[in-house]
Structure formats: C-alpha cells, structure tokens
Amino acid sequence: MLSDDTLDALERDVTACDDARAALEDALDAAAAAEAPTDAHYTAIATALRNWQAAQQRYMDTVAASEASDAPTAGLLLKTKTGTDPANARRGLPGASVDGADQPFDMDLTGTRGQLLTTALTDYLPALSEQPPQK
C-alpha cells in the first residue's frame, strides 16, 4: 500500500513526465515543420527531454523511498488507486536513461524527427545537463 503523500508525489511526477512528453512532441513537430531548424528548435527539444528525464528521476526516487518493492508495483498501485497511468514515467528515454525506466520508448522518431532528436541529444543536451531542469 502506498500512503496518500506518496501517491500525491507520484502523481505530480507522472504529470511532469506527461507534460515533458507533450513539450517534446511539440518541439519535434515545430522543428520538423521549419525550413531550417534553428538553435532554438534544438534547445527546445533538448530541454523537453531533460525535463522528462528529471521528472522521471523524481518518480523513481519517490518509488525508492516508498513502501513499494519496485517501479512496476508502484505504477500498478498508482493506476489502481488514482487512475493515473505512469507509462511516461517508466519509458526509457533515448540518450537520457534513468534507472528503473524499463518500458519501451514509443514516440515516432523516423526520418527528420529522429535526426532532430539525435542532434539535440548530441549537441545540445550536454550543455543543459549543467543547468537545473525546469519544473
């Protein structure tokens, strides 16, 4: 059983992961639609990925501090008790892995979107890692 405080914390972390995923989708769409992606496009992609990674790490830290035995158990209890689906909090992120994130990354990264993400990961994410993530 998870305490109400733990459930609330997990829900906040899941919401942050969901928001970061939406921001990543939006950033990839905007960059793909641009005639020539700019630094701002790549920074937006890297920032969304960094924010997702940070929220995912908070989720895993909350799980580790909880009464749950592991992330799958915590996710099941969260979904059962609150209806909140922790899928995005448990997805493996390309280039930004978090221990315990064991679900497949399910975003379409074919073609231009994959190239945009790769460039953001290799050229922009490292610089962001020195800054605190946005909340």
Side-chain angles (χ1 to χ4, degrees), residues 5-91:
D5 289 342
T6 299
L7 289 170
D8 290 344
L10 290 172
E11 280 188 295
R12 279 191 304 274
D13 299 336
V14 167
T15 298
C17 288
D18 292 346
D19 292 347
R21 180 195 174 115
L24 179 57
E25 291 275 11
D26 291 346
L28 286 168
D29 289 344
E35 217 171 284
T38 65
D39 284 343
H41 288 112
Y42 289 115
T43 299
I45 293 166
T47 299
L49 190 58
R50 172 72 172 110
N51 290 342
W52 193 349
Q53 179 188 34
Q56 208 174 55
Q57 187 61 60
R58 288 191 305 271
Y59 178 86
M60 295 304 171
D61 290 346
T62 301
V63 168
S66 76
E67 308 82 29
S69 58
D70 55 23
T73 302
L76 179 63
L77 291 169
L78 180 64
K79 179 116 176 163
T80 301
K81 289 290 222 175
T82 68
T84 300
D85 183 359
N88 288 322
R90 296 191 49 222
R91 295 201 190 288

Side-chain angles (χ1 to χ4, degrees), residues 50 91 98 104 130 135:
R50 172 72 172 110
R91 295 201 190 288
V98 171
E130 297 174 5
K135 289 190 178 186

